[in-house]
Amino acid sequence: MGNSTSPALKRVEVTQEPVSSDVAPVVDADAALGRPLSLDGLHVAFGERKVLNGLTLDIPARQFVAVVGRSGVGKSTLMRLIVGLDKPGAGEVRIDGVPVNGLQPSVRLLFQDARLLPWQTVLNNVGIARRPGWREASLAALGDVGLVDRQSDWPAVLSGGQRQRVALARVLVSHPSILLLDEPFGALDALTRSDMHALLERLWLQHGFTTLLITHDVSEAVLLADRVVVIRDGQITYDVPITIPRPRRRSDAAIVALQSKILEQV
Ligand SMILES: Nc1ncnc2c1ncn2[C@@H]1O[C@H](COP(=O)(O)OP(=O)(O)OP(=O)(O)O)[C@@H](O)[C@H]1O
Ligand SMILES: [Mg+2]
């Protein structure tokens, strides 16, 4: 064990958890946490510009939905409504039947950049909320994303993919019932992205949060989601279930066929 005073040099010898999806998912106590989400006739306008125009979507608990749509159609705006950062001009967001009014602690957002505090170690970033028992919970979450051995490092020495894994660990610590991911892997190279897909799928199967993934990458949507929806002109214009068994392969003919079908709708 390292007892060095420099946080960047501390190490704890714990076996790193595997990151790939070839581990059988274990449904844990959190699995019941996923909650249903209803988007009911949402309208948002910025001045003259109508962004959401009666958008309606019902998502059952634990479903994994991918949201695709062209730049500027209102995908991030929608996420802000769900987490309670903004209010719709009309319509309602409901979580488990309860209207969202103000910031929702059970909803967590993950962005393209990990948004870690550079002056805090990896462990302290994960446990940033400092709830009772945060250290143990944070170590467990770092184990979940395969980064226990980097707990004492500063964010600056991590790769982009590792930073996103730390951000995922920080999300896991708070046991979200709904996870919103806004283009989380857009800045990563293809191989790292593919590792992150496997990791996200495993964590989702294990923890069971209702998941909304915004992505420009239709192949990512089809690989990961139970259902892909397309936003156009402020509404859901296409809604397709993906029933291809998991784990899915990018080269699978059914995946490729669905991708081109969805792309036609975007
Ligand atoms: N606070 C704001 N004030 C004014 N206009 C805004 C505001 N937030 C978003 N918009 C506008 O709303 C529209 C939708 O923005 P939003 O960020 O939701 O798009 P998006 O689908 O997430 O796009 P991208 O794929 O590029 O991230 C855009 O035209 C944007 O300029
Ligand atoms: Mg956006």
Side-chain angles (χ1 to χ4, degrees):
M1 298 276 178
N3 277 330
S4 155
T5 48
S6 160
L9 294 175
K10 268 198 239 162
R11 285 285 186 279
V12 167
E13 282 154 41
V14 180
T15 315
Q16 187 168 322
E17 297 257 334
V19 175
S20 68
S21 65
D22 48 28
V23 185
V26 183
V27 175
D28 69 11
D30 294 347
L33 280 177
R35 290 204 260 159
L37 173 66
S38 297
L39 314 173
D40 188 1
L42 298 175
H43 285 262
V44 171
F46 296 104
E48 293 294 292
R49 182 182 290 120
K50 277 189 183 166
V51 176
L52 299 183
N53 192 16
L55 185 141
T56 294
L57 183 65
D58 273 307
I59 302 172
R62 306 190 52 158
Q63 193 170 58
F64 191 137
V65 177
V67 179
V68 297
R70 291 182 180 275
S71 182
V73 292
K75 303 182 296 296
S76 298
T77 301
L78 179 63
M79 297 286 143
R80 294 176 62 81
L81 298 183
I82 297 170
V83 77
L85 279 166
D86 289 333
K87 276 182 157 189
E92 200 167 63
V93 175
R94 288 187 298 273
I95 295 173
D96 225 348
V98 180
V100 163
N101 188 9
L103 211 57
Q104 298 296 302
S106 68
V107 180
R108 284 283 178 267
L109 255 166
L110 196 74
F111 300 96
Q112 184 166 343
D113 52 329
R115 304 191 180 186
L116 304 178
L117 298 177
W119 58 86
Q120 295 277 5
T121 61
V122 163
L123 183 67
N124 287 341
N125 263 287
V126 173
I128 199 75
R130 296 292 187 274
R131 291 189 186 84
W134 70 270
R135 189 176 291 273
E136 294 68 32
S138 303
L139 282 171
L142 279 173
D144 243 358
V145 302
L147 282 179
V148 168
D149 62 335
R150 307 303 296 268
Q151 63 175 291
S152 304
D153 283 340
W154 302 110
V157 305
L158 300 181
S159 70
Q162 287 165 341
R163 276 181 218 149
Q164 278 303 61
R165 276 152 66 188
V166 174
L168 258 174
R170 186 177 52 192
V171 158
L172 292 178
V173 161
S174 64
H175 302 291
S177 53
I178 296 177
L179 177 58
L180 310 176
L181 305 120
D182 195 344
E183 291 273 352
F185 312 133
L188 304 176
D189 66 83
L191 285 175
T192 310
R193 198 179 247 249
S194 173
D195 286 346
M196 292 299 289
H197 290 161
L199 175 63
L200 175 62
E201 186 177 49
R202 176 169 68 77
L203 293 174
W204 166 71
L205 287 167
Q206 190 178 333
H207 295 275
F209 26 72
T210 307
T211 302
L212 243 81
L213 168 70
I214 292 184
T215 180
H216 282 116
D217 179 348
V218 175
S219 74
E220 176 171 288
V222 178
L223 269 175
L224 291 174
D226 293 325
R227 176 183 185 189
V228 177
V229 300
V230 173
I231 302 186
R232 232 169 101 176
D233 303 326
Q235 301 188 343
I236 303 292
T237 53
Y238 192 63
D239 184 348
V240 62
I242 315 287
T243 53
I244 302 163
R246 300 167 188 273
R248 299 173 183 162
R249 296 154 70 97
R250 200 174 279 271
S251 53
D252 188 297
I255 295 263
V256 175
L258 260 168
Q259 264 182 62
S260 40
K261 214 167 130 186
I262 294 165
L263 269 172
E264 282 168 21
Q265 303 292 327
V266 176

